[in-house]
Amino acid sequence: MNELVLAKIEEAEECGKLLEEGRQFQLANGFVQWTAKYPTSGDVENDIKEGTGYVYKIDGKIAAYMCIRKGIEPYYVKIDGEWDSKEPYVVVHRMGLSDEFRGKGLTKDIFLAIEELSRKLGALSIRIDTHTPNKTMQHVLERCGFTYRGIVNYPQGTRLGYDKNI
């Protein structure tokens, strides 16, 4: 059984390790999106305490972690481009897939689960960003029906903004 559920505080360490696997995957593919300081298990713990930390489980085993938050993302208010998505929307951050489940074609199922959750939360769309060198995530987003909308400016640098109406 596959399910997207709120993460539990006792799962924070495992989710943090999963994000570390994502960081190592990025390095192996020649780019740095996540640094040693972000994201951390502390970020995961904060997400869980805020009710925005989610795990995608396959037969009870954590396959992916992500932060899903409904509401205005301050850095998305101004984009060098134009969002097409309707409000209210959810934002997906810190999405990481376990090495054990990588390459098994799960991302489409995960994004379908995110869409279903987003509808339950009353959202009309989903917004997400990624770094320019992260071609893997760009491919995943486009394959899952997201459209590139422009550049999102963070204090740490720029990201590519994508959205999808649901």
Side-chain angles (χ1 to χ4, degrees), residues 4 9 17 30 66 76 82 104 112 119 128 140 149:
L4 179 66
I9 198 69
K17 288 178 183 174
M66 69 230 58
Y76 287 6
E82 187 175 348
K104 299 188 189 277
L112 287 173
R119 284 187 206 93
I128 190 170
V140 164
R149 297 298 176 189

Side-chain angles (χ1 to χ4, degrees), residues 120-140:
K120 287 179 183 174
L121 294 173
L124 300 175
S125 61
I126 301 169
R127 294 181 184 178
I128 190 170
D129 65 76
T130 191
H131 282 225
T132 302
N134 194 342
K135 302 297 182 199
T136 301
M137 183 56 110
Q138 293 167 43
H139 173 74
V140 164

Side-chain angles (χ1 to χ4, degrees), residues 61-78:
K61 193 166 191 175
I62 297 174
Y65 172 80
M66 69 230 58
C67 172
I68 302 172
R69 180 179 295 123
K70 182 180 171 192
I72 302 298
E73 168 59 57
Y75 295 109
Y76 287 6
V77 171
K78 185 173 187 250

Side-chain angles (χ1 to χ4, degrees), residues 56-120:
Y56 186 80
K57 293 185 176 183
I58 297 175
D59 297 326
K61 193 166 191 175
I62 297 174
Y65 172 80
M66 69 230 58
C67 172
I68 302 172
R69 180 179 295 123
K70 182 180 171 192
I72 302 298
E73 168 59 57
Y75 295 109
Y76 287 6
V77 171
K78 185 173 187 250
I79 183 172
D80 294 337
E82 187 175 348
W83 295 111
D84 183 55
S85 53
K86 299 176 174 119
E87 294 184 15
Y89 60 87
V90 299
V91 176
V92 180
H93 286 304
R94 296 182 281 288
M95 183 175 196
L97 187 64
S98 167
D99 285 347
E100 181 180 344
F101 293 95
R102 194 176 306 282
K104 299 188 189 277
L106 289 176
T107 52
K108 188 168 186 177
D109 293 338
I110 293 170
F111 273 105
L112 287 173
I114 292 170
E115 288 180 32
E116 183 179 329
L117 172 67
S118 299
R119 284 187 206 93
K120 287 179 183 174

